[in-house]
Amino acid sequence: MLEGAEFYFNVDHGYLEGLVRGCKASLLTQQDYINLVQCETLEDVKIHLQTTDYGNFLANETNPLTVSKIDTEMRKKLCREFEYFRNHSLEPLSTFFTYMTCSYMIDNVILLMNGALQKKSVKEILVKCHPLGRFTEMEAVNIAETPSDLFNAVLVETPLAPFFQDCMSENTLDELNIELLRNKLYKSYLEAFYKFCKNHGDVTAEIMCPILEFEADRRAFIITLNSFGTELSKDDRETLYPTCGKLYPEGLRLLAQAEDFDQMRRVAEHYGVYKPFDGLYCFFLPQVQMNVLAFNRQFHYGVFYAYAKLKEQEMRNIVWIAECISQRHRTKINSYIPIL
Amino acid sequence: MAARTKLSISAVTFLALILGFLAQTIMKARLKGAQTGRNLLKKKSDALTLRFRQILKKIIETKMLMGEVMREAAFSLAEAKFTAGDFSTTVIQNVNKAQVKIRAKKDNVAGVTLPVFEHYHEGTDSYELTGLARGGEQLAKLKRNYAKAVELLVELASLQTSFVTLDEAIKITNRRVNAIEHVIIPRIERTLAYIITELDEREREEFYRLKKIQEKKKILKEKSEKDLEQRRAAGEVMEPANLLAEEKDEDLLFE
């Protein structure tokens, strides 16, 4: 509970906040996007990106240039920046960073568990893990035979341990469907993150909590939408909803009972914020806008979270435009999400 | 001895004649057989060529459609990646059994068996819950597009194998037709012509021989008549009584 964060914040975190604002200024603008959309080949895209902050990041790539190469290089750049921030951070910013990386760690752990179950080589899976989600015990995964072994030996040391404990006992780890596991882990992660931000109080809570609430509700809606027509039962579905959003508790209960799209829409209309609900894409724009607005306040950790998310969205936009160009399918090339 | 030789000669020629006719009949039968065979094979070749052209047309159509479908599917992959993030590793990790399998059936065209592939689904969709948190709709569309692409690919595979098999079969059949038409039948015809000329020649020989024998007999007869005349003139020949030339018959008692 830090009152008057203006007084204490810059002592520990002022340098990093300045740095991240500088990085934010180098995000691609609308003009850049217009230029990219008009490119004819991937080589043109590379030339355009050289004029932005990306610089010569593709300079060492041999021909032919593919979309996946662009993607990998962009991700490497983001990781470098992120690691730099993280290494220079102090508490409690470091814990904040750890929370941010948890979501990637969850994906990596699911991947590793899958691979271990199917006796695949650990090396190949490690290559495919998301670099932001690295944790030191990753290489030790191959010694585990079953998921419960995995849990006892490896995961207990990671920050993910409490999430696992929330979800289930060790016995159920074996039978559980991988996707359900992933979503359950994500739910506990989101709730823990929310609690952390709220406890921190001050501007951080003011900025981060609405963002996390929106994320929780978005997940609830999308899980409901995607579980129509699958074998996911309503009770199972309810256990996957994060409870830190605006929908808790009434909305979540209603959503769990919803059978089809119209019922969902009625639930959305109850809450004014979600009224213009028309499926998947309507959630992207408000999230991006919220992330951009985070930069309007100073002295809080939300800027780091917002920067990471915006950078990811930008990467997705660039990859989308590059794919449209390389596949010569330009009808939907303008469906990227504009950021600035 | 001469008579016996003559007899054996004629027996041999008779045998040869008979054999000649037999050979001719056999050759005629073989010619007919070869011609019928060639007609049948030509019909088979025509039927196969017809089917071949049909398959070719279908292949062209399917390949064009394939281009469109693959483009669509690749684009929906890009869309899904945009909304759901990178799910490729999850998908690859979870692969165990094939969901779409193929059965091979046989189809018969003019005696040539062609393989036909038919796909069938087995097992449930193990990727139902992928993308539950985001991009589920895009993933469903992606699954549909690629399923369509796979079906088209299976059809294209059947068509192309039939194409290759038919091509082989047509080449073989045409080779046989040409062989019969340009080698076997002329050979038989030539043999037949040779047999006919031989038979004719033998007939002519026979005819000539008969004529010669007749001449010889005539000469012999003239010679013996001359002899007789000479002997009659010398009075040595006692001619037997000629019943018809006699004026007085001794046996008649009363006249």
Side-chain angles (χ1 to χ4, degrees):
Chain A
M1 287 301 190
L2 284 154
E3 304 286 21
E6 306 82 81
F7 299 132
Y8 308 105
F9 191 82
N10 276 347
V11 178
D12 291 332
H13 318 299
Y15 169 63
L16 287 177
E17 182 174 347
L19 206 56
V20 84
R21 279 180 190 276
C23 290
K24 180 245 181 190
S26 68
L27 285 177
L28 294 186
T29 62
Q30 191 61 25
Q31 184 59 38
D32 291 318
Y33 281 121
I34 292 179
N35 284 343
L36 282 178
V37 166
Q38 286 169 350
C39 288
E40 293 291 325
T41 69
L42 289 183
E43 289 297 324
D44 289 343
V45 168
K46 174 174 158 183
I47 292 173
H48 269 114
L49 285 178
Q50 278 175 352
T51 61
T52 66
D53 192 46
Y54 281 104
N56 286 334
F57 77 119
L58 287 174
N60 296 335
E61 291 303 312
T62 55
N63 285 331
L65 191 60
T66 64
V67 181
S68 56
K69 277 198 199 144
I70 297 181
D71 192 28
T72 329
E73 285 298 318
M74 283 200 291
R75 189 167 302 175
K76 267 200 247 178
K77 184 164 186 289
L78 175 62
C79 285
R80 272 202 301 268
E81 291 173 355
F82 194 82
E83 288 297 318
Y84 185 82
F85 287 141
R86 197 166 172 189
N87 291 338
H88 282 75
S89 63
L90 298 171
E91 287 295 338
L93 187 53
S94 325
T95 323
F96 190 84
F97 275 124
T98 316
Y99 268 113
M100 271 173 66
T101 57
C102 273
S103 67
Y104 304 114
M105 266 198 245
I106 290 177
D107 283 335
N108 285 351
V109 160
I110 297 286
L111 210 59
L112 288 167
M113 270 172 68
N114 237 352
L117 276 178
Q118 307 209 351
K119 311 279 180 270
K120 297 246 167 73
S121 140
V122 181
K123 294 272 182 304
E124 354 174 299
I125 310 180
L126 280 181
V127 166
K128 301 201 181 110
C129 281
H130 197 289
L132 280 180
R134 282 196 187 282
F135 51 98
T136 44
E137 298 83 6
M138 260 164 76
E139 281 90 13
V141 164
N142 58 345
I143 59 170
E145 297 290 319
T146 69
S148 12
D149 269 352
L150 190 66
F151 179 71
N152 284 333
V154 177
L155 295 172
V156 167
E157 306 290 326
T158 66
L160 297 180
F163 307 145
F164 273 95
Q165 274 158 358
D166 270 342
C167 302
M168 69 226 37
S169 66
E170 290 167 21
N171 310 332
T172 60
L173 261 180
D174 287 322
E175 300 107 42
L176 212 51
N177 188 331
I178 287 291
E179 288 299 319
L180 288 182
L181 182 61
R182 185 204 300 266
N183 285 311
K184 283 207 174 120
L185 285 176
Y186 202 86
K187 163 189 144 99
S188 4
Y189 151 69
L190 210 52
E191 287 167 5
F193 199 5
Y194 186 79
K195 227 184 304 175
F196 173 76
C197 291
K198 216 167 179 87
N199 285 341
H200 196 271
D202 207 23
V203 189
T204 308
E206 277 177 44
I207 300 287
M208 283 303 297
C209 290
I211 295 183
L212 290 176
E213 279 168 16
F214 190 81
E215 172 75 14
D217 295 332
R218 183 192 72 90
R219 280 189 84 87
F221 275 120
I222 293 196
I223 288 176
T224 320
L225 184 63
N226 288 337
S227 57
F228 290 148
T230 67
E231 54 190 31
L232 194 61
S233 75
K234 295 215 180 83
D235 295 326
D236 275 335
R237 206 201 295 171
E238 190 155 6
T239 57
L240 298 178
Y241 294 151
T243 53
C244 52
K246 286 205 189 61
L247 288 176
Y248 177 76
E250 285 301 318
L252 289 182
R253 208 170 36 80
L254 285 174
L255 266 185
Q257 303 300 322
E259 297 267 340
D260 61 29
F261 191 74
D262 287 326
Q263 286 182 350
M264 253 178 68
R265 183 182 278 255
R266 252 176 277 140
V267 175
E269 281 168 12
H270 284 311
Y271 298 83
V273 181
Y274 301 125
K275 218 170 186 168
F277 174 73
D278 62 347
L280 297 173
Y281 282 112
C282 70
F283 286 117
F284 283 130
L285 209 50
Q287 254 187 327
V288 166
Q289 280 166 354
M290 278 208 254
N291 282 331
V292 172
L293 286 176
F295 283 94
N296 283 349
R297 308 275 310 259
Q298 256 193 305
F299 310 125
H300 63 101
Y301 304 140
V303 283
F304 299 100
Y305 180 83
Y307 174 67
K309 290 291 165 200
L310 286 176
K311 199 79 183 167
E312 272 189 354
Q313 184 59 45
E314 179 182 290
M315 268 174 23
R316 280 201 290 267
N317 284 347
I318 293 180
V319 165
W320 170 254
I321 293 175
E323 288 257 4
C324 284
I325 290 176
S326 73
Q327 290 187 16
R328 287 184 273 280
H329 208 296
R330 304 184 82 101
T331 46
K332 291 215 192 140
I333 198 169
N334 289 320
S335 312
Y336 60 87
I337 312 282
I339 298 183
L340 293 169
Chain B
M1 173 69 183
R4 233 199 341 209
T5 329
K6 250 194 243 167
L7 187 60
S8 53
I9 289 180
S10 66
V12 161
T13 46
F14 186 64
L15 216 56
L17 259 175
I18 292 290
L19 276 178
F21 277 124
L22 199 62
Q24 189 185 26
T25 327
I26 291 177
M27 276 297 142
K28 277 205 185 132
R30 270 172 75 174
L31 181 67
K32 193 117 201 323
Q35 277 168 341
T36 320
R38 194 208 51 184
N39 290 342
L40 280 175
L41 275 178
K42 200 103 191 10
K43 279 198 197 127
K44 172 172 172 179
S45 167
D46 288 339
L48 288 177
T49 314
L50 182 67
R51 187 59 186 265
F52 190 70
R53 297 249 168 84
Q54 281 175 341
I55 289 188
L56 183 64
K57 205 161 95 168
K58 205 124 194 289
I59 285 187
I60 293 177
E61 267 174 30
T62 316
K63 279 206 175 161
M64 307 272 256
L65 194 60
M66 186 81 226
E68 283 298 317
V69 167
M70 281 305 264
R71 207 160 155 261
E72 190 66 40
F75 192 64
S76 59
L77 178 64
E79 269 183 352
K81 268 208 283 214
F82 182 66
T83 29
D86 190 18
F87 50 86
S88 56
T89 31
T90 332
V91 170
I92 295 178
Q93 292 293 321
N94 271 335
V95 169
N96 44 3
K97 256 172 56 152
Q99 262 177 269
V100 179
K101 298 203 182 155
I102 297 186
R103 264 191 287 254
K105 289 215 277 252
K106 290 209 183 298
D107 190 23
N108 189 316
V109 173
V112 178
T113 48
L114 300 174
V116 170
F117 298 126
E118 171 189 272
H119 64 83
Y120 63 97
H121 288 274
E122 195 185 40
T124 54
D125 187 3
S126 52
Y127 297 109
E128 241 179 354
L129 298 174
T130 322
L132 196 58
R134 43 188 187 148
E137 189 183 309
Q138 265 72 14
L139 271 170
K141 194 165 97 165
L142 177 69
K143 274 191 267 190
R144 274 198 304 272
N145 279 344
Y146 268 105
K148 209 161 48 159
V150 163
E151 283 174 14
L152 256 184
L153 273 173
V154 166
E155 205 180 300
L156 199 58
S158 317
L159 285 174
Q160 275 188 292
T161 27
S162 326
F163 188 80
V164 166
T165 321
L166 266 182
D167 194 36
E168 277 294 314
I170 286 181
K171 280 205 192 91
I172 290 178
T173 316
N174 279 345
R175 227 179 276 151
R176 285 195 194 135
V177 167
N178 287 341
I180 293 185
E181 192 161 327
H182 296 289
V183 176
I184 307 267
I185 287 189
R187 205 191 291 166
I188 294 184
E189 277 176 350
R190 262 178 276 158
T191 318
L192 203 56
Y194 173 73
I195 290 178
I196 289 180
T197 49
E198 273 295 311
L199 283 176
D200 278 346
E201 206 169 301
R202 274 206 212 121
E203 210 179 297
R204 264 182 270 136
E205 275 178 15
E206 205 48 41
F207 193 61
Y208 184 70
R209 195 149 39 86
L210 278 173
K211 270 268 165 0
K212 254 293 188 300
I213 290 177
Q214 273 177 4
E215 266 181 37
K216 278 235 165 91
K217 277 200 177 145
K218 212 161 99 183
I219 293 176
L220 248 136
K221 192 166 165 201
E222 278 178 7
K223 200 156 137 223
S224 60
E225 278 204 354
K226 229 193 255 169
D227 261 347
L228 205 61
E229 283 293 326
Q230 276 180 353
R231 286 219 297 225
R232 207 182 285 150
E236 294 169 359
V237 170
M238 278 291 302
E239 271 190 37
N242 192 355
L243 221 65
L244 299 169
E246 232 180 49
E247 290 167 0
K248 199 167 165 235
D249 195 2
E250 300 174 339
D251 295 323
L252 280 180
L253 291 176
F254 302 104
E255 226 172 268

